Amino acid sequence: MTQRRPLLIALGLVVLGALVWSGLAPYDRGTWVLEVAPAVIAAPVLLATGRRYPLTTLLYVLIALHMLVLILGGAYTYARVPLGFWMQEALHLGRNPYDRIGHLMQGLVPAMVARELLLQRAYLTSRRMAAFLSVCVAMAISAVYELLEWWAALALGQGADQFLGTQGDPWDTQSDMFMALIGATLAMALLARWQDRQMRPLAGAWLTSASRAS
């Protein structure tokens, strides 16, 4: 646990620095607030629960990467992120695809969080059922996010265009959810065993916290 402390501190400082930088002069302040809100909410929760319910190093890294994706999208808006323009040119695409990265992470990271909580809290013992339910959780979160975008569009009218970032794509909602499904599926197929190996040393801390809670 103490061996990974420098890495976790470094991740926190990188995310904090990126958040401060992104807030100095974002393209659209309202969009920035909406985009970085999940990272701002998640960070205190992770700090408050880190000792009693430590997560794997893999998961902390993935969460930090997801936060950076959100923060970068908030700074430029998803349709204007320079990395997306580079990808658009390199892959000969008709739109800036950076938002697809965001939705891929929106599936991958929540699925990994759900899997770790389900198994570490011993809600499930079956890895296959944990994988299935984790993908379901990720898709539910993706669907709720799309509903939030819809409500934002209704409430803000044209002012929500930067937040929606559809870039004229009539199938943007369906594409976003499909990317989340891909992300969640890739997480279960490629990262589950890595996560299992890192969860074993943390099992004692979770059991101790659970016994205290009961």
Side-chain angles (χ1 to χ4, degrees):
M1 298 273 271
T2 56
Q3 294 177 346
R4 66 178 187 167
R5 184 178 178 85
L7 173 61
L8 299 183
I9 292 175
L11 288 174
L13 291 176
V14 168
V15 171
L16 179 60
L19 181 63
V20 172
W21 164 81
S22 71
L24 294 177
Y27 182 86
D28 181 83
R29 179 66 64 179
T31 300
W32 177 80
V33 171
L34 291 172
E35 296 293 358
V36 305
V40 173
I41 293 170
V45 174
L46 292 174
L47 287 172
T49 60
R51 288 190 176 183
R52 292 188 62 186
Y53 301 108
L55 303 176
T56 59
T57 303
L58 171 63
L59 189 51
Y60 280 126
V61 171
L62 291 175
I63 292 172
L65 289 175
H66 193 189
M67 288 180 176
L68 291 175
V69 169
L70 294 173
I71 290 169
L72 189 60
Y76 291 99
T77 75
Y78 280 90
R80 294 178 174 83
V81 174
L83 173 61
F85 285 130
W86 176 84
M87 294 173 61
Q88 180 180 357
E89 183 176 353
L91 300 175
H92 306 289
L93 303 175
R95 70 194 295 277
N96 187 318
Y98 184 78
D99 64 322
R100 304 304 188 214
I101 298 175
H103 287 281
L104 183 78
M105 294 297 287
Q106 190 185 67
L108 189 151
V109 177
M112 293 292 284
V113 173
R115 184 178 185 275
E116 192 154 318
L117 294 178
L118 288 171
L119 293 175
Q120 288 286 56
R121 292 286 290 181
Y123 293 124
L124 292 172
T125 56
S126 169
R127 258 53 181 175
R128 291 184 179 180
M129 182 57 67
F132 171 72
L133 291 180
S134 297
V135 173
C136 290
V137 168
M139 292 307 297
I141 291 174
S142 178
V144 169
Y145 189 84
E146 296 302 326
L147 290 174
L148 290 174
E149 286 190 341
W150 171 46
W151 294 334
L154 292 177
L156 302 177
Q158 293 298 319
D161 287 348
Q162 305 297 336
F163 178 54
L164 295 176
T166 60
Q167 302 181 64
D169 182 2
W171 303 106
D172 184 70
T173 297
Q174 290 81 359
S175 297
D176 289 347
M177 295 184 68
F178 181 59
M179 291 305 296
L181 176 60
I182 292 175
T185 304
L186 287 175
M188 298 300 103
L190 302 179
L191 301 177
R193 290 185 179 180
W194 190 1
Q195 187 179 40
D196 284 342
R197 288 194 297 270
Q198 293 193 6
M199 280 196 294
R200 293 188 191 106
L202 302 176
W206 280 81
L207 289 173
T208 300
S209 298
S211 63
R212 288 176 180 173
S214 61

